[in-house]
Amino acid sequence: MAIERTLSIIKPDGVKRNLIGQILSRFEAAGLTIVAGRLQQLSRAEAEGFYAVHKARPFFKDLVDFMISGPVFISVLEGEGAIAKNRDLMGATNPKEAAAGTIRADFAESIDANTVHGSDAPETAAVEVAYFFRSIEICG
Ligand code: IDP
Ligand code: MG
């Protein structure tokens, strides 16, 4: 399997509950390396741009409101099959459907406050990483 990079975001509910360390530990224990990362308070425009693919969905405004409700921790994870591996660690979008032992099953409160974002495919990973990080900010 190829070495990939994927974008991870610990959403405001995770940052507020001091879960950054626990979540990053899960990534590292699974063999993913954090090659870039920072805390950031997103502006409305930045959150809308990031989630532009969901613009027409009924939950778009709630999603953006939630993503700007506090700081997020944005990182780039690198490793073998990093995109799928991160999605496996995250669990299903709706925490009620997330498999036991996943981040969302263990920590998420609702489908809105579901603690983490992760890129879902190589194309979106490339776009999402570049949305938040310049190449010189990634230490891979
Ligand atoms: P993902 O985060 O698992 O990739 P997406 O379908 O890409 O899920 O949706 C992006 C985010 O939008 C989700 O993480 C969730 O916070 C929110 N979302 C998705 N579907 C719904 C919904 O049906 N109601 C409310 N929020 C939703
Ligand atoms: Mg998604």
Side-chain angles (χ1 to χ4, degrees), residues 75-118:
S75 63
V76 180
L77 309 177
E78 183 177 89
E80 294 257 329
I83 298 164
K85 191 176 276 186
N86 181 40
R87 296 290 302 193
D88 287 346
L89 292 169
M90 290 165 58
T93 306
N94 185 345
K96 291 193 182 115
E97 292 161 11
T102 60
I103 293 167
R104 283 166 165 170
D106 289 346
F107 299 125
E109 298 165 310
S110 67
I111 194 167
D112 300 282
N114 62 1
T115 315
V116 278
H117 167 86

